[in-house]
Amino acid sequence: MTPPLAPAGWSRWLVPPAALSVHLSIGQAYAWSVFKPPLESALGLSGTQSALPFQLGIVMLGLSAAFGGTLVERNGPRWAMTVALCCFSSGFLIAALGAATEQFWLIVLGYGFVGGIGLGIGYISPVSTLIKWFPDRPGMATGIAIMGFGGGALIASPWSAQMLKSYGTGSEGIAYAFLTHGLVYAAFMSLGVLLVRVPPPGYRQKAPEESPGTPTGTLISTAQVSARSAVRTPQFWCLWLVLCMNVTAGIGILEKAAPMITDFFAETSTPVSVSAAAGFVALLSAANMAGRIGWSSTSDLIGRKNIYRVYLGAGAVMYLLIALFGDSSKPLFVICALVILSFYGGGFATIPAYLKDLFGTYQVGAIHGRLLTAWSTAGVLGPLIVNRVADSQEEAGRSGAGLYGLSFTIMIGLLVVGFVANELVRPVHPRHHVPAPREAADDQLAGDQRHHA
């Protein structure tokens, strides 16, 4: 499964399309909210229950990325993309069986557990390869690929809605939709498996410090840190908090997007239709995708720490505006939600470059995989906060925008926590650095000389 080395003259710009074929497929996870109402109706589930496959999928994404990161580094991107293809497609097939037999636990097992492993391995599969191909613009490179994960729902949301319309919204129709997803995504992801290449020995582009316009602040290091050492640094855990808080805030809207906008304006003179709600999900996916390439490319110019100040600080302001005025202005609600989702996507795309700045390229894929446990945590926290609060508020007799006021206040507090964690990030202490081969040889020679003296 070792990918072939790129031949002389092979364009590095063919690597992002290979990554996109995988990320556009696994990005279907962001369209899960389209399946929530049909599942709730067909199987008699609550909002919290129907979120379980999605939540478990995100949990498994983080866990498989954390435990599989070292294997991905060792075996290469082609192996990782193949594993992702098999798990993600198989997850849909198992979920199809669960829907056909009306066994919800099979949907949770297939989509959440098996498919979630495919999500995690597929997500990190191209990261270190892209950074090696684009050391001069790591934010842009990872942004191009990872935007596919955000943009996957832009395709999957209307496609899934159309399939449910054609097949029906009963358990049989849902099963056929899952089956179609599994087969089509298997074919599409195979393109990335066949196309991916790794740089030849001696490949080199301009290093970040040599590239005009690239910030060379104190957080950018040329030293290397192993994955094992990285998790022992305070910088790793600060970034863990930063990612977790940013993801929790974004995923809370994304997972319940269609029901949320419907609830917000249900009691107004301009309620939101089912098709308009599906369109809103697609718009959020577009913002998620655009933020991944736009904000991550901007981070190459202004620095990672500054861009996360924008994500977390301005994100808290957007949530405050929705909480105070969202139900009185549909454009305000939509615009603020789009900005939050652009920050959410940008945070994902920028974090590999942030890690590269702090820890080097040595084992950045494995470090990134371990950091994605923050996503697992957020995948539980975000939907749990929004769904549990909404359910409790509904039991208390509230409706409309009143279902979400408390959860939005919680999100603001979490974003403030992330903002503080980002401010605490400092350069990694030299004791964690891996000695360069030449430095290690010099140290050995000096030691030998002292011994003979």
Side-chain angles (χ1 to χ4, degrees):
M1 295 307 299
T2 302
L5 294 175
W10 196 80
S11 174
R12 64 178 180 167
W13 292 100
L14 293 174
V15 180
L20 275 171
S21 71
V22 174
H23 275 241
L24 280 170
S25 299
I26 63 178
Q28 183 280 335
Y30 284 141
W32 178 252
S33 64
V34 175
F35 285 103
K36 280 172 63 68
L39 281 171
E40 290 167 14
S41 176
L43 303 181
L45 306 174
S46 68
T48 302
Q49 289 174 320
S50 66
L52 282 176
F54 176 82
Q55 287 177 289
L56 181 58
I58 299 302
V59 169
M60 293 310 301
L61 185 159
L63 293 178
S64 61
F67 290 106
T70 303
L71 289 174
V72 171
E73 290 281 345
R74 182 183 305 152
N75 297 326
R78 175 167 288 180
W79 174 88
M81 290 179 178
T82 302
V83 171
L85 184 159
C86 294
C87 291
F88 189 65
S89 297
S90 298
F92 268 113
L93 301 184
I94 297 170
L97 177 62
T101 58
E102 298 189 359
Q103 297 294 315
F104 182 59
W105 70 271
L106 275 175
I107 298 176
V108 176
L109 173 68
Y111 189 93
F113 185 81
V114 179
I117 295 173
L119 287 177
I121 300 299
Y123 189 85
I124 64 173
S125 61
V127 169
S128 63
T129 304
L130 283 164
I131 288 177
K132 289 170 185 173
W133 275 111
F134 294 87
D136 51 329
R137 287 291 183 269
M140 180 203 69
T142 54
I144 289 174
I146 293 177
M147 76 174 180
F149 194 88
L154 189 62
I155 300 170
S157 180
W159 183 39
S160 300
Q162 183 59 46
M163 276 194 287
L164 290 171
K165 184 178 179 181
S166 301
Y167 295 144
T169 56
S171 58
E172 184 178 346
I174 296 171
Y176 278 123
F178 284 157
L179 177 63
T180 304
H181 276 79
L183 297 177
V184 172
Y185 284 137
F188 191 61
M189 292 172 75
S190 65
L191 297 176
V193 173
L194 296 173
L195 184 60
V196 70
R197 299 287 189 278
V198 296
Y203 171 82
R204 185 176 181 274
Q205 288 283 329
K206 287 182 179 180
E209 61 271 21
E210 299 169 337
S211 301
T214 304
T216 56
T218 57
L219 290 182
I220 298 182
S221 173
T222 58
Q224 307 295 329
V225 181
S226 69
R228 186 175 182 181
S229 295
V231 298
R232 299 174 180 174
T233 65
Q235 288 83 356
F236 177 89
W237 293 107
C238 283
L239 290 189
W240 193 96
L241 268 178
V242 165
L243 184 64
C244 185
M245 299 300 99
N246 194 55
V247 172
T248 301
I251 213 168
I253 285 183
L254 195 58
E255 187 274 336
K256 201 175 173 66
M260 182 181 292
I261 193 170
T262 302
D263 290 337
F264 249 79
F265 298 99
E267 300 173 356
T268 68
S269 58
T270 56
V272 176
S273 65
V274 174
S275 60
F280 176 63
V281 175
L283 275 178
L284 291 179
S285 299
N288 188 353
M289 180 174 65
R292 289 173 187 243
I293 180 61
W295 292 120
S296 61
S297 296
T298 302
S299 77
D300 285 330
L301 302 174
I302 69 173
R304 322 300 172 199
K305 191 168 188 175
N306 285 332
I307 203 69
Y308 273 96
R309 285 169 173 152
V310 174
Y311 298 156
L312 299 159
V317 173
M318 294 298 106
Y319 256 115
L320 181 62
L321 289 174
I322 293 178
L324 295 177
F325 310 110
D327 59 338
S328 60
S329 173
K330 195 176 295 183
L332 177 67
F333 178 92
V334 172
I335 289 171
C336 289
L338 292 178
V339 172
I340 290 171
L341 263 295
S342 77
F343 292 159
Y344 169 81
F348 277 121
T350 310
I351 206 68
Y354 209 161
L355 292 171
K356 181 258 181 190
D357 290 347
L358 289 169
F359 303 111
T361 60
Y362 173 50
Q363 290 188 334
V364 67
I367 298 170
H368 184 222
R370 286 160 171 77
L371 192 77
L372 289 182
T373 54
W375 192 355
S376 297
T377 305
V380 174
L381 279 180
L384 183 64
I385 290 169
V386 174
N387 285 293
R388 185 63 61 83
V389 169
D391 288 346
S392 65
Q393 295 297 307
E394 188 174 13
E395 291 173 2
R398 294 184 177 85
S399 61
L403 298 174
Y404 303 98
L406 177 58
S407 60
F408 285 3
T409 302
I410 295 172
M411 297 300 181
I412 292 170
L414 294 179
L415 286 168
V416 171
V417 171
F419 189 93
V420 173
N422 184 54
E423 293 303 306
L424 296 176
V425 174
R426 298 289 184 272
V428 176
H429 194 279
R431 70 173 178 272
H432 298 290
H433 295 169
V434 174
R438 180 177 297 175
E439 291 172 353
D442 292 343
D443 290 343
Q444 181 64 41
L445 178 60
D448 291 343
Q449 291 173 342
R450 286 193 299 270
H451 175 72
H452 292 305

